[in-house]
């Protein structure tokens, strides 16, 4: 299997480079001081082109004088990077972004998402997801089913031990389109009402009559992790293009953007009532 240049490996390499450059060190300086690190190996690690052993990562971070909190977070990424998650057999079946997303969701302590047109994947029923893949994606029944399987497997994070806190804002438009037909959409609404009552899930609805707000820029997902300093990432969708954002300041700005989105959306109780009313009107 080819080496995977995942979001977390990229972020680990970016942090290695950032800290090294903050210390005013060249790759040659590190290579001279650490026998397990060559200039070539440093380049590969910083560009996420090779795996890094945990003990070698620890040696590098100690040499760079990284504080205990940041050191623990980076070593955790290095330790978990080689693990084979449930999603690896689906590599090549679904797109790389989906594999990365599944990997990150499995580690995240917080998931924030805004979806303007669809029910979030973590809340979708199999029939609703299948309708999206066949009617919009143009996949065959067999191909669509493989993608549905991945989407359903991702939902295990909702009820895992110590599940992430999930905050989702869904535009009213996503509730108005009867994806797959009335029966499919009614069942999807029931599922949305069910997960909205999970203790770790918060769902808000963005009404169509809302004021201008950052939600109008497109879908957004932020994944938070229990590290200090934060190593959160954001997935931004614009003009059918998905882009991962890892730069710390940019991700912090997206956290602010999401806060503005939640402020404009309906309160939690009103949102649940809105979903229930929409479901009851489906014919």
């Amino acid at each position: 299997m080819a080496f995977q240049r995942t979001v977390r490996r990229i972020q680990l390499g970016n942090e290695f480079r950032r800290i090294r450059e903050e210390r005013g060190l060249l790759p040659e300086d590190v290579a001279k001081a650490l026998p397990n690190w060559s200039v070539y190996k440093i380049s590969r690690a910083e560009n996420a082109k090779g795996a890094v052993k945990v003990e070698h990562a620890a040696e590098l971070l100690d040499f760079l004088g990284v504080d205990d909190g940041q050191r623990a977070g980076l070593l955790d990424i290095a330790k978990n990077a080689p693990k084979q998650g449930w999603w690896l057999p689906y590599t090549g079946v679904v797109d790389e972004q989906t594999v990365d997303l599944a990997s990150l969701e499995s580690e995240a302590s917080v998931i924030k998402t805004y979806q303007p047109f669809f029910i979030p994947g973590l809340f979708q029923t199999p029939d609703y997801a299948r309708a999206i893949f066949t009617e919009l994606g143009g996949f065959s029944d067999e191909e669509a089913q493989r993608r549905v399987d991945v989407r359903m497997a991702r939902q295990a994070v909702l009820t895992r031990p110590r599940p992430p806190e999930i905050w989702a804002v869904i535009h009213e438009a996503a509730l108005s389109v009867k994806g797959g037909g009335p029966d499919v959409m009614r069942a999807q609404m029931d599922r949305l009402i069910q997960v909205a009552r999970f203790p770790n899930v918060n769902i808000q609805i963005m009404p169509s009559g809302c004021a201008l707000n950052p939600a109008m820029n497109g879908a957004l997902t932020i994944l938070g992790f229990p590290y200090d300093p934060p190593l959160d990432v954001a997935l931004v969708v614009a003009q059918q293009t998905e882009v991962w954002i890892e730069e710390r300041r940019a991700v912090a700005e997206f956290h602010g953007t999401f806060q503005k989105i939640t402020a404009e959306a309906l309160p939690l109780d009103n949102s649940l009532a809105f979903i229930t009313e929409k479901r009851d009107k489906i014919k």
Side-chain angles (χ1 to χ4, degrees):
M1 180 179 293
F3 179 80
Q4 270 194 297
R5 192 172 181 266
T6 64
V7 171
R8 293 310 259 174
R9 291 186 191 272
I10 293 170
Q11 191 172 40
L12 183 65
N14 288 345
E15 287 295 301
F16 283 162
R17 179 185 294 106
R18 183 187 64 79
I19 297 167
R20 174 181 60 76
E21 291 177 348
E22 278 186 354
R23 304 297 189 267
L25 296 170
L26 297 172
E28 290 81 2
D29 299 324
V30 178
K32 287 178 183 178
L34 301 177
N36 288 317
W37 287 88
S38 65
V39 172
Y40 174 71
K41 181 175 178 177
I42 293 166
S43 175
R44 284 182 60 79
E46 292 183 349
N47 289 285
K49 292 184 178 179
V52 178
K53 292 182 178 179
V54 177
E55 58 269 28
H56 292 178
E59 179 186 40
L60 175 62
L61 295 172
D62 289 342
F63 172 72
L64 295 174
V66 175
D67 65 67
D68 290 344
Q70 187 176 18
R71 182 182 187 276
L74 293 173
L75 288 181
D76 192 51
I77 294 175
K79 181 175 71 174
N80 288 312
K83 288 184 178 179
Q84 292 197 351
W86 62 263
W87 53 86
L88 285 186
Y90 294 98
T91 302
V93 174
V94 295
D95 60 90
E96 194 173 296
Q97 297 281 28
T98 299
V99 173
D100 282 345
L101 181 59
S103 172
L104 291 166
E105 286 172 342
S106 71
E107 302 176 40
S109 56
V110 176
I111 300 174
K112 303 175 182 179
T113 187
Y114 168 70
Q115 297 297 327
F117 304 118
F118 303 105
I119 306 301
L122 290 177
F123 305 152
Q124 291 178 6
T125 65
D127 288 339
Y128 178 89
R130 189 177 296 106
I132 291 174
F133 290 128
T134 55
E135 296 174 22
L136 294 183
F139 295 107
S140 67
D141 290 344
E142 183 179 353
E143 291 172 326
Q145 187 57 52
R146 286 199 295 266
R147 285 163 172 78
V148 170
D149 291 343
V150 174
R151 189 153 292 183
M152 296 305 104
R154 283 174 50 206
Q155 295 180 7
V157 302
L158 294 173
T159 55
R160 77 184 188 203
R162 299 177 65 184
E165 179 186 357
I166 300 176
W167 202 292
V169 180
I170 308 169
H171 196 279
E172 177 185 346
L175 307 181
S176 300
V177 178
K178 296 180 179 63
D183 292 342
V184 170
M185 200 62 195
R186 189 178 298 107
Q188 177 60 72
M189 294 290 207
D190 285 337
R191 175 59 175 166
L192 206 55
I193 292 168
Q194 179 189 36
V195 297
R197 295 192 171 106
F198 287 9
N200 58 311
V201 175
N202 301 283
I203 297 177
Q204 289 181 268
I205 300 301
M206 181 69 74
S208 57
C210 63
L212 287 171
N213 69 84
M216 295 171 180
N217 289 324
L220 168 66
T221 297
I222 305 170
L223 297 112
F225 303 89
Y227 304 137
D228 184 22
L231 296 174
D232 300 355
V233 295
L235 179 61
V236 180
V237 180
Q239 297 181 341
Q240 298 184 333
T241 300
E242 298 180 335
V243 179
W244 284 109
I245 307 296
E246 307 110 33
E247 199 275 321
R248 195 176 297 168
R249 183 177 298 178
V251 176
E253 290 177 357
F254 280 116
H255 275 294
T257 294
F258 190 80
Q259 188 172 7
K260 293 176 182 177
I261 291 172
T262 61
E264 188 60 36
L266 296 176
L268 295 173
D269 289 345
N270 294 25
S271 294
L272 184 56
F274 189 97
I275 297 168
T276 303
E277 183 180 356
K278 278 281 189 180
R279 179 203 59 188
D280 293 344
K281 289 182 177 178
I282 295 176
K283 297 179 180 180

